[in-house]
Amino acid sequence: DTGVSQDPRHKITKRGQNVTFRCDPISEHNRLYWYRQTLGQGPEFLTYFQNEAQLEKSRLLSDRFSAERPKGSFSTLEIQRTEQGDSAMYLCASSPPAGPTEAFFGQGTRLTVV
Amino acid sequence: GENVEQHPSTLSVQEGDSAVIKCTYSDSASNYFPWYKQELGKRPQLIIDIRSNVGEKKDQRIAVTLNKTAKHFSLHITETQPEDSAVYFCAAQAAGNKLTFGGGTRVLVKP
């Protein structure tokens, strides 16, 4: 197990297109988080899963954003009808069941909407 | 919800000097306070954390202090080295829920 992995690392898309990102957490980590980070800012919370249940979703997140974790393992984040303001680094993190404890981050997916 | 404020936003120190970064949080239920270091183009990585039942924790040149009453916590880096140059983020978490991050501090250590 080499840590949290995200795919793709980079994505360039045209405005209005849909994109989907994947996150594979560290095995046995039941908690999974998605964050968005823009240049010079701290990671901004998007959504949180415990196993397959989506427990919290940021109120700042528009309904163009949806996330799933169907079997409690990997997760996908989809953005529909992308806008230029969606350009950012999308980070996934996972942590083990017993908490509070460290969240391990993936390398992120950098999205550029042109 | 939780709100975390971090200061300063940039910090320039001479190699060998100390650096201090301060954070405040709003949710009294928060009980876990990690600090992450992020180098350019890389993922955030944990450097030290503290739980609410502890007032201070030290790991070599890095220390963190927590004042639950005042709802603030601080990162102290002593004997700074050029490789300490990075962006540092504080965060707060309540009951295993989401981590809420501060805005970050860009630290530059001048040789």
Side-chain angles (χ1 to χ4, degrees):
Chain A
D1 194 332
T2 55
V4 179
S5 64
Q6 294 186 242
D7 183 72
R9 293 288 307 278
H10 304 274
K11 178 71 177 179
I12 300 174
T13 191
K14 292 183 178 179
R15 190 173 51 187
Q17 297 293 305
N18 299 344
V19 295
T20 299
F21 310 142
R22 177 180 170 122
C23 171
D24 286 89
I26 295 171
S27 58
E28 298 166 1
H29 281 194
N30 70 334
R31 290 182 284 171
L32 187 147
Y33 310 85
W34 284 98
Y35 287 85
R36 176 171 62 189
Q37 187 177 30
T38 53
L39 200 61
Q41 302 297 315
E44 175 192 21
F45 171 75
L46 295 179
T47 191
Y48 160 53
F49 289 86
Q50 186 166 310
N51 299 311
E52 66 275 11
Q54 187 174 21
L55 297 188
E56 189 171 354
K57 184 176 176 179
S58 170
R59 285 171 290 179
L60 301 175
L61 210 60
S62 80
D63 56 9
R64 296 184 298 106
F65 287 71
S66 62
E68 293 183 339
R69 195 183 182 196
K71 296 183 180 179
S73 56
F74 73 91
S75 175
T76 58
L77 177 69
E78 181 183 18
I79 309 174
Q80 296 181 325
R81 305 180 304 280
T82 53
E83 302 172 357
Q84 286 191 317
D86 297 331
S87 296
M89 176 71 84
Y90 289 83
L91 292 165
C92 176
S94 70
S95 59
T101 189
E102 176 182 358
F104 294 81
F105 281 86
Q107 295 275 29
T109 294
R110 180 167 295 284
L111 173 67
T112 302
V113 182
V114 298
Chain B
E2 176 67 276
N3 183 51
V4 178
E5 299 283 341
Q6 183 172 347
H7 300 280
S9 56
T10 59
L11 181 59
S12 182
V13 297
Q14 207 66 38
E15 182 177 359
D17 287 350
S18 295
V20 180
I21 304 171
K22 298 184 178 183
C23 289
T24 59
Y25 63 98
S26 61
D27 187 352
S28 57
S30 289
N31 59 359
Y32 176 64
F33 306 92
W35 287 87
Y36 284 82
K37 176 182 180 182
Q38 188 174 30
E39 298 176 354
L40 192 62
K42 296 190 176 181
R43 74 185 82 191
Q45 292 197 298
L46 183 81
I47 56 171
I48 195 167
D49 57 11
I50 191 167
R51 289 168 177 77
S52 59
N53 58 346
V54 175
E56 185 173 355
K57 183 177 177 180
K58 188 173 181 180
D59 182 4
Q60 299 182 350
R61 298 186 296 108
I62 295 172
V64 58
T65 59
L66 171 65
N67 183 327
K68 287 177 55 182
T69 303
K71 293 184 192 162
H72 66 70
F73 55 114
S74 300
L75 177 71
H76 303 252
I77 307 173
T78 59
E79 300 171 20
T80 52
Q81 300 168 3
E83 53 263 38
D84 294 329
S85 295
V87 180
Y88 292 81
F89 294 100
C90 63
Q93 183 183 50
N97 293 325
K98 66 178 186 286
L99 280 169
T100 300
F101 285 84
T105 298
R106 183 173 300 279
V107 174
L108 175 63
V109 180
K110 295 181 288 186

